[in-house]
Amino acid sequence: MPDSSQPTPAARGAKGRARPNLTEGPIASNLLWFMLPTLGSSILQSLNGSINAIWVGRLLGERALAATSNANAILFLMLAFVFGFGMAATILIGQAFGRRDMDAARRVTGTAFTLFAIVLVAVSTVGYVFTPQILALLATPPDVVPLAVDYLRVIFIGMPAALMLGMLMMAIRGTGDSLTPLWFMILSVILDSGLNPFFIEGWGPFPKMGIAGSAVTTALANWVALLGLIGWTYLKDLPLRLRGAELAYLKPSRQLTETIVVKGLPMGLQMIVVSGSAMAMLGLVNVHGVDFTAAFGVALQLWTYVQMPAMAVGAAVSTMVAQNIGAGQWERVAKVTRSGIVIVLAITAIMVASLAAADRTVLALFLGSGSPAMPLARHIQLLGTWGYLLFGVMMVLFATVRANGAVVAPLVILTIGLFVVRLSVASFGQRWLGTDALWLSLPVATFVNLVLAIAYYRRGTWRKAHMSVGGRDPNPGSAEPQAA
C-alpha cells in the first residue's frame, strides 16, 4: 500500500526537506532544474577522466597512458551493464515514488543494492585474478602489459565502489532528487583529481606508487563518496533509507531481480551498440592514416561533451515520466516529452553553435594550432556535430518509452541505425562522397534512428508495456496516454 508517511505530493523527507515535485506544477521548469545537476555530474565525470589522463601522461609518459586506456575499455563494458540495471531500478523507483508507495521504492532499492554488490564483488575478484588474460584478449601491446596489470588490478579492487556509487546515485534521482548525487560526484572528483599526483609521485607523506597510485586515488575517491552518500542518506532520512524491518528488503526478491535483469539488459546493450559502432568506425578511419585518426579522435572527444545534454535530459525525462505513470497522470507524459525535446534542442544547439564559432581554439587544445590534422578536424566536426540535435530528440523519445518498460525496441532501432545504416554509409558511400561519407554517416544514421523512434513513439506498443514491483501492475486501471 502507499506509504502514508509521505504527507504531501511534494514528497517531503522525514526531516521536512522539500523534494522536487515531478508530478505536479509546471513541467518545463521542473524538468530543467531537475536535469541541470545531472548534466553537471556528467560533465564533472568526464573532466575527471581528462584530468587524470593528463596527470598520467605528463608524469609517467605515453606507455602509462596507453595502459590506462586499455583498462578503461574494460571498465566501460561494466559501466554499460550497470547503467542498464541501474536505469531499470530507477524507473521502478520512479513509478513507485510517483504513486507515493515508499515501501515498494525501498524494496527495489534493497534488492538492487544487494544484487549489485554480489555481482560486482564476484566480477572484481575474477577480474583481479585473470587480469593478464583479460589484457591479452584485448591484444594489449607487450610493453604496456606490466603497467596495465598494476593499474587494472587496483581498479578492480575499487570497481564495486565506483559502480555501486553510480547505481545509488541513479536510484536517488528516481525519487526526484538530482542535487544530492551532484554533491557526492563533486566530492569524488576533488579527491580523485586532486590526489592523483601525490600518489603517483609520492609527494609529501604519500607513497610513490607510479601508475598504481592513479588507480588508488580513483578507488579511494569512490569508496569515500559511496560511504559518504550512504551516511548522508541516513543522516538526512532520505526516502530510500532502510530501517528496522525494512532491512529485510536487502534480501533480493526473485520477481524484482528478474524485472531488473530483463529490463536492464537491453538498456545496457544500447551503450554497447553505441560503443561498438564507434570502434568499428575507428577501424574504417585508421586505414586513411595517422592524421585522419588523430582528427577523428579529437572529434570524438568533443562529441562526448556535445552529447551530454541529450543523456542528461533523457535521464531526467525518464524519471519524470516514470513518476507520472506511477501517479496515473498519463496526460502529463506527452507534455514532459515535448518539454524535453525543446530543452535538449535548445541546449545542444547552443553547444553546436559555440563549437562552430570557436572550433579552431578548442581543437588547438588537443592538436596544437600547427598540426596537419587541424583542418581535417575542423571539417569533421562541422559535418558531423549537427547530428547531435537529432540524437537529442531521439534520446528523449527513448527515455519516454523505456519509463514504461519498453526497452527492446530502442535497442533494435539503435542497432539498425548505428550498425546497418552508419557502417553502410561509411563503407560504401566513399565511392561517391569520398572520405566525407565517414563524417556524414553519423548524422544520416541518427536521422534514420529518429524517424523510427518517432514512428514507434506515436504508433508503437510501448504504452501497453509495464514494469512492476513484486509482480504488480504499477498503474492498474490507468487511461491510455495521448500521443505528443
Side-chain angles (χ1 to χ4, degrees), residues 1-6 92-93 95-111 175 238-250 253 256 469-470 472:
M1 293 179 62
D3 186 350
S4 60
S5 66
Q6 301 300 308
L92 288 171
I93 290 169
Q95 289 188 357
F97 202 80
R99 63 180 182 273
R100 306 297 176 248
D101 190 349
M102 295 312 304
D103 183 71
R106 290 167 187 158
R107 284 192 290 128
V108 174
T109 303
T111 288
T175 69
L238 299 185
L240 297 183
R241 89 291 179 276
L242 304 178
R243 296 186 187 277
E246 295 169 344
L247 292 172
Y249 296 158
L250 290 171
S253 158
L256 285 174
V469 180
R472 294 177 298 172

Side-chain angles (χ1 to χ4, degrees), residues 211-251:
I211 192 171
S214 179
V216 165
T217 59
T218 299
L220 178 64
N222 286 319
W223 277 111
V224 170
L226 174 62
L227 295 175
L229 182 54
I230 293 173
W232 185 261
T233 298
Y234 281 90
L235 179 65
K236 294 298 182 179
D237 199 27
L238 299 185
L240 297 183
R241 89 291 179 276
L242 304 178
R243 296 186 187 277
E246 295 169 344
L247 292 172
Y249 296 158
L250 290 171
K251 180 181 179 180

Side-chain angles (χ1 to χ4, degrees), residues 5-19 97 239:
S5 66
Q6 301 300 308
T8 69
R12 297 179 180 272
K15 301 293 185 183
R17 184 168 176 259
R19 311 183 63 76
F97 202 80

Side-chain angles (χ1 to χ4, degrees), residues 2 49 208 285 397:
K208 185 175 182 178
V285 172
L397 296 176

